Amino acid sequence: MPLAITKARQADLPDIVRLNGVVQNLHALLSPDIFRADWASSDLHHFWNDRLMDQNSTVAIARLDGSAAGYIWY
């Protein structure tokens, strides 16, 4: 199946939070002096919800075979 990249919507928040959690854990492992390992999914949910609502931000989500495979925020 082809890769589909679309503008993220509220319904994509659980996938974005899950994907960002993987990144957050990696950052915390590699740079614990900068990144937190004790993050809460509710904090990430609020952060990404704010990004989706911000008119100066764009969040896109990539889906491969219908499953979230990645995201970008710009």
Side-chain angles (χ1 to χ4, degrees), residues 13-31:
L13 274 172
D15 288 327
I16 293 169
V17 168
R18 180 181 55 78
L19 291 166
N20 187 239
V22 173
V23 173
Q24 183 68 20
N25 286 339
L26 179 61
H27 285 159
L29 179 67
L30 297 173
S31 299

Side-chain angles (χ1 to χ4, degrees), residues 19-69:
L19 291 166
N20 187 239
V22 173
V23 173
Q24 183 68 20
N25 286 339
L26 179 61
H27 285 159
L29 179 67
L30 297 173
S31 299
D33 55 319
I34 300 172
F35 295 95
R36 294 177 39 194
D38 64 340
W39 59 272
S41 61
S42 60
D43 292 339
L44 291 180
H45 181 89
H46 290 297
F47 175 85
W48 287 108
N49 185 61
D50 289 349
R51 302 298 75 76
L52 291 177
M53 302 303 291
D54 183 353
Q55 293 183 13
N56 295 314
S57 292
T58 299
V59 180
I61 189 161
R63 293 191 177 279
L64 185 60
D65 295 330
S67 296

